[in-house]
Amino acid sequence: MALIISRGEEILIRKTYGMADLQKNVPVTLDHQFAIASNTKQFTCMAIMMLKEQGLLDYDEPIAKFFPDFPDYRHQITIRHLMNHQSGIPDYTEASSWLTEHRETLPADMLEFIKSLGDLNFAPGERFSYCNSGYVMLGSIVSQLTGMPFGTFLEQNILAPAGMTHACAPDSAARRAPHLAEGYNLEEDGSYVKQPYDMALVGYADGNIQATADDMLAWHHYLYGGAQKLVKPETLAEAFAEQCETDMEDCAYGFGLIKSENKGRREIWHGGGTMGFSSRCSRYIDEDLSIIMLTNVLGLPKYELYHKIAAEVFALLDEEE
């Protein structure tokens, strides 16, 4: 694990724990990158917001012009539905054939697979259902409008301006971060099984960023610290707004971010989990507090562990008051 806790500009904890490579006996350092998985979704939405400001898209336009060969539902689903997990499109990661047949694929193949998944699970806008497929499609929209691979657009227009100097966004398994920790799954017998590096791990616009904990802290400072210049304040405000209620208790989804309360403290956060990696990145607005937890193991009781860490921090803050 790499763990950073900061309050304002003050670093409270900046530490690493455990191993980056069990076979080679390499400990985790602050230079190691981790697959942040679905924490990528806030960056995907930032790209969409930037294109919206440029007049290249509208959140509430149907996706038909971007996916003209998709089923008829393309006329009912909007870009906003994709961002808010309200499209009804089946999640490609839940299809059993995804792991067995498509691990060496490319984004274009992922879109073909999503197109083949059949009918919607529900009418667009009817309810919330977390869907990685929608974010793969958002990445394609970014690529179509910019003429750039999605990952390249992120790196040049979001990651670099935000000071995320060690982050990258591979568009295929042919590329990986130079200091990416090895990923492991924690099995029921307590053993750690190393995971292959392929598209099941890399993902696409649903989860392809690989970053250090310092990169994620830089993003928090950029996003929440008043230095945000990628989009106008009123545009950014929509990302933090409660766009729709989720299937998690007392949580609302914005644009790639979740808004909730933790013991009465307002929190904006997202988690991530993929083959061999899990993460939780949280911002407590009123306390100017960031908690960034990146791990190279899938199968930990991630949220239980995170809440124990947060409780310790809250106890210290309460003592100060």
Side-chain angles (χ1 to χ4, degrees):
M1 176 189 293
L3 176 67
I4 294 182
I5 302 173
S6 73
R7 190 178 188 189
E9 296 297 321
E10 180 184 6
I11 302 296
L12 306 180
I13 289 179
R14 182 172 174 266
K15 297 179 68 175
T16 58
Y17 309 83
M19 308 303 291
D21 189 325
L22 288 170
Q23 286 71 32
K24 296 180 180 179
N25 202 37
V26 177
V28 175
T29 72
L30 288 165
D31 291 328
H32 276 107
Q33 293 124 331
F34 297 77
I36 68 169
S38 286
N39 267 293
T40 298
K41 289 181 169 67
Q42 59 199 281
F43 297 88
T44 302
C45 285
M46 178 60 73
I48 293 292
M49 288 189 287
M50 293 169 71
L51 298 179
K52 161 71 160 53
E53 279 199 351
Q54 295 172 28
L56 297 177
L57 59 80
D58 186 273
Y59 299 146
D60 298 309
E61 67 177 301
I63 61 172
K65 76 175 183 181
F66 301 105
F67 306 101
D69 59 345
F70 265 54
D72 286 346
Y73 62 60
R74 68 188 185 275
H75 298 292
Q76 286 77 49
I77 294 173
T78 66
I79 292 174
R80 190 187 297 272
H81 287 144
L82 299 181
M83 297 167 79
N84 291 341
H85 303 284
Q86 291 187 303
S87 69
I89 296 173
D91 191 336
Y92 79 93
T93 65
E94 296 180 0
S96 58
S97 60
W98 169 249
L99 289 180
T100 57
E101 301 174 15
H102 298 272
R103 299 186 72 148
E104 300 301 329
T105 189
L106 294 171
D109 303 311
M110 297 173 77
L111 289 168
E112 287 297 313
F113 185 71
I114 292 168
K115 185 173 67 173
S116 74
L117 292 176
D119 294 337
L120 299 180
N121 291 332
F122 53 87
E126 183 177 273
R127 60 186 174 88
F128 174 96
S129 182
Y130 196 85
C131 181
N132 289 286
S133 300
Y135 273 76
V136 172
M137 296 169 74
L138 289 171
S140 175
I141 290 171
V142 172
S143 185
Q144 290 179 52
L145 291 176
T146 64
M148 301 171 67
F150 172 74
T152 302
F153 180 86
L154 283 192
E155 290 173 4
Q156 294 183 5
N157 296 279
I158 298 178
L159 305 186
M164 300 174 67
T165 55
H166 297 94
C168 67
D171 281 315
S172 76
R175 179 173 172 236
R176 63 183 284 168
H179 299 293
L180 182 70
E182 296 296 338
Y184 298 87
N185 278 10
L186 177 60
E187 302 298 312
E188 290 185 3
D189 64 2
S191 63
Y192 293 91
V193 178
K194 185 176 176 179
Q195 297 303 296
Y197 185 83
D198 54 32
M199 286 305 288
L201 183 157
V202 176
Y204 183 44
D206 55 326
N208 69 337
I209 292 178
Q210 299 167 7
T212 66
D214 284 326
D215 286 326
M216 295 307 294
L217 180 63
W219 174 244
H220 272 209
H221 284 168
Y222 191 75
L223 194 61
Y224 302 105
Q228 167 57 245
K229 303 297 182 186
L230 293 174
V231 293
K232 299 173 183 176
E234 55 268 29
T235 301
L236 183 62
E238 282 202 79
F240 302 140
E242 298 181 3
Q243 297 282 336
C244 65
E245 296 300 316
T246 75
D247 51 7
M248 297 174 285
E249 186 177 356
D250 299 325
C251 289
Y253 209 88
F255 289 164
L257 291 164
I258 300 169
K259 189 174 183 180
S260 62
E261 287 192 2
N262 186 356
K263 299 189 182 302
R265 301 175 190 270
R266 295 191 302 158
E267 180 184 16
I268 296 175
W269 64 279
H270 212 287
T274 187
M275 304 294 289
F277 293 88
S278 60
S279 59
R280 170 77 178 236
C281 298
S282 289
R283 179 73 176 184
Y284 291 90
I285 304 303
D286 300 321
E287 290 78 11
D288 197 13
L289 177 76
S290 291
I291 301 178
I292 294 164
M293 184 181 84
L294 308 181
T295 82
N296 61 325
V297 58
L298 185 66
L300 287 174
K302 174 176 61 180
Y303 291 133
E304 178 183 339
L305 181 59
Y306 164 78
H307 284 295
K308 286 182 177 180
I309 292 170
E312 293 286 340
V313 177
F314 296 159
L316 291 173
L317 296 181
D318 290 340
E319 286 181 10
E320 291 181 5
E321 296 174 359

